[in-house]
Structures are given as C-alpha cells and as structure tokens.
Amino acid sequence: MSRIGTTFARLQAEGQKAFVAYIMAGDPDMETSLAVMRGLPGAGVDVIELGMPFTDPMADGPTIQYAGQRALAGGQTLERTLEMVRRFREGDTDTPIVLMGYYNPIYSRGVDRFLADAGAAGIDGLIVVDLPPEEDVELCLPARAVGIDFIRLATPTTDDRRLPAVVRNTSGFVYYVSITGITGAAAASAADVAPDVARIKAASGLPVVVGFGISTPQGATEIASVADGCVVGSAIVKLIAEGRPVPQVLEAVAALADGVHAAGARAPAG
C-alpha cells in the first residue's frame, strides 16, 4: 500500500479526517517554502500537496497564480521542486506528498524520466489538472505502473455519465472541487457538497477529499464532516504572500488542521 493509502487507512481506523495542505514549491523562495513544508506534519497536516510552478495555471485563482509567478521569478524549476522533496524526505519518510500542476513541465522533461525521478525523490501521487481521462495513456497509467497514485479531480458538473470515466483509473483518493470556478473564488457549502461526495465515494470506492473554497477552521470542520478530508491552499498561500514568518504560517495551518480533525467526532462520510 502506498503512503497515501496507508495514511487514509490509519485515519479511517482512528475515526479521523484527512487534512491536505497546499503550498507552492519555491514561494517566495526555495528555502522558505522548504521550511514551511518541513513544518507541515508537525502542524497536523496529513498529506502535503506541493504545487509545481507553471506559467499558465488555468485552474488557479490570483493567489496561487501570483505564488507561481514569485516562485518562477526566484528560479524555481521542476528539478528544484524534486530537490525540495528529496531534502524533505531526509527527515520525513512517512508523510505523503502529492505534486499538483500541469502537464507541460512533465512532458518537457519526458514522462519516463519524470516518473523515475519523482519516485526516487519520494513523490506518492500526482494531480495533473489538464490531462482528462481520455489521455490516461500519457501519464496516469505509466504513473500507476511505477506505484505513483494518479488523483483525479471531480467537479459539480461531473454527472453520472461522466463520473465512471473520471474514477476508472484514479487511485489514492478523489479530489472533489467543491465550487465551479477557480481556486480561492468562493466559499464551499457542506450542504451542497455532501450529496456529490457520497455519489463519488460510491462510484470510486476511494476516499473523497474536498478542496476549493475552504479558508477557515470552521469551514474546514463543516466540509470535513461530510467528506474524508479537505484541502486548504489559497488561505495558506496568502499568509506566505504577506511575508508572515514561518512559525506564524504554521500556527495558522495548525488551527486549520484542528478544524479538520474536529470533524472526526462527527458521523463518517458516506
């Protein structure tokens, strides 16, 4: 079982929900983002989602777009992102790491080389938002063949006809995008999310983690109470953009983690 599978199995056995925290690799510089990354598990983060900076991030709102621009301006590359992961793994061999981004940098590096390097660095999963299920042969299937989970996004517009294709080759967990639009654009509603989470769990047999539109501990508790966990990204990236010291960023992350884990006392998802 992968680190992702092991983590979700443990949380389920403990009656807990997963907190997935997103940061952009290299924002505002590699050393600062690595310091934040190293502190995330101690702040209660169960899975780290590490953004790969890209020049045209179509799914991201301004907060994460600017984070990518800052990282690229500071010289962050895919190789330096993998180097961050290698350095993180020197002190943490347990916390799952999911790379999130777009296909172009991976394609430019070469899929076989990328997967070999990612696996060696300690990457556990991939979220590549611009590769639909019809392109699974490009990256999804090769990734799964070498033991790297390929995590697919489902959205409010993923209807029952489309859902089987979306979840067919997905592994690790399904990332449910709670709102129609870009990251950081609106607040998610537990009442709106719950029916789709149940529908996706039934179709996939996988944990369903909800992202987009979650920015407060209270919101994290509400969403995690109807899912297997939640993702917070823009709210954390904003703190980094404001130049907050790393301990302040991690303090805010810990409050969000407490919100997610508080949902474990509520009825389990599905």
Side-chain angles (χ1 to χ4, degrees):
M1 187 179 292
S2 70
R3 272 184 285 244
I4 294 173
T6 299
T7 295
F8 277 97
R10 173 181 58 79
L11 291 169
Q12 183 178 21
E14 296 171 352
Q16 281 289 347
K17 305 301 180 76
F19 179 41
V20 182
Y22 172 97
I23 62 170
M24 178 66 72
D27 176 35
D29 56 70
M30 183 166 162
E31 293 304 321
T32 301
S33 61
L34 179 58
V36 173
M37 186 180 181
R38 284 173 167 161
L40 292 177
V45 172
D46 300 297
V47 179
I48 296 171
E49 189 179 328
L50 187 63
M52 298 182 286
F54 182 54
T55 53
D56 188 23
M58 63 182 183
D60 296 314
T63 297
I64 293 179
Q65 286 187 27
Y66 292 146
Q69 290 174 12
R70 289 191 298 270
L72 291 169
Q76 192 71 10
T77 62
L78 180 53
E79 176 55 41
R80 286 170 65 85
T81 298
L82 294 174
E83 176 62 22
M84 274 184 62
V85 176
R86 288 190 288 267
R87 291 173 63 183
F88 175 87
R89 287 289 180 221
E90 293 171 0
D92 187 317
T93 58
D94 297 324
T95 305
I97 300 173
V98 175
L99 282 184
M100 181 172 185
Y102 300 83
Y103 186 44
N104 185 276
I106 297 170
Y107 178 81
S108 296
R109 190 179 186 87
V111 168
D112 290 344
R113 179 187 174 198
F114 167 77
L115 291 175
D117 292 345
I123 295 299
D124 302 290
L126 299 173
I127 300 173
V128 182
V129 300
D130 54 349
L131 277 181
E134 289 75 14
E135 304 297 334
D136 276 355
V137 69
E138 287 284 333
L139 182 61
C140 172
L141 297 180
R144 293 198 59 181
V146 298
I148 296 176
D149 286 320
F150 198 89
I151 297 152
R152 188 77 68 192
L153 303 180
T155 74
T157 60
T158 305
D159 60 22
D160 289 338
R161 291 177 299 174
R162 180 62 173 168
L163 185 57
V166 170
V167 303
R168 181 171 54 241
N169 292 316
T170 300
S171 59
F173 61 89
V174 179
Y175 186 135
Y176 180 65
V177 177
S178 63
I179 58 174
T180 302
I182 55 176
T183 59
S189 162
D192 292 339
V193 163
D196 280 329
V197 168
R199 181 171 62 94
I200 295 164
K201 277 182 69 72
S204 67
L206 293 170
V208 178
V209 174
V210 177
F212 288 46
I214 305 164
S215 61
T216 66
Q218 180 182 1
T221 301
E222 293 174 358
I223 294 299
S225 71
V226 299
D228 295 292
C230 71
V231 184
V232 178
S234 293
I236 299 170
V237 173
K238 283 179 182 178
L239 298 174
I240 296 171
E242 292 168 1
R244 303 287 186 93
V246 171
Q248 284 189 18
V249 174
L250 295 175
E251 182 179 359
V253 170
L256 290 161
D258 287 345
V260 174
H261 297 146
R266 302 188 179 186

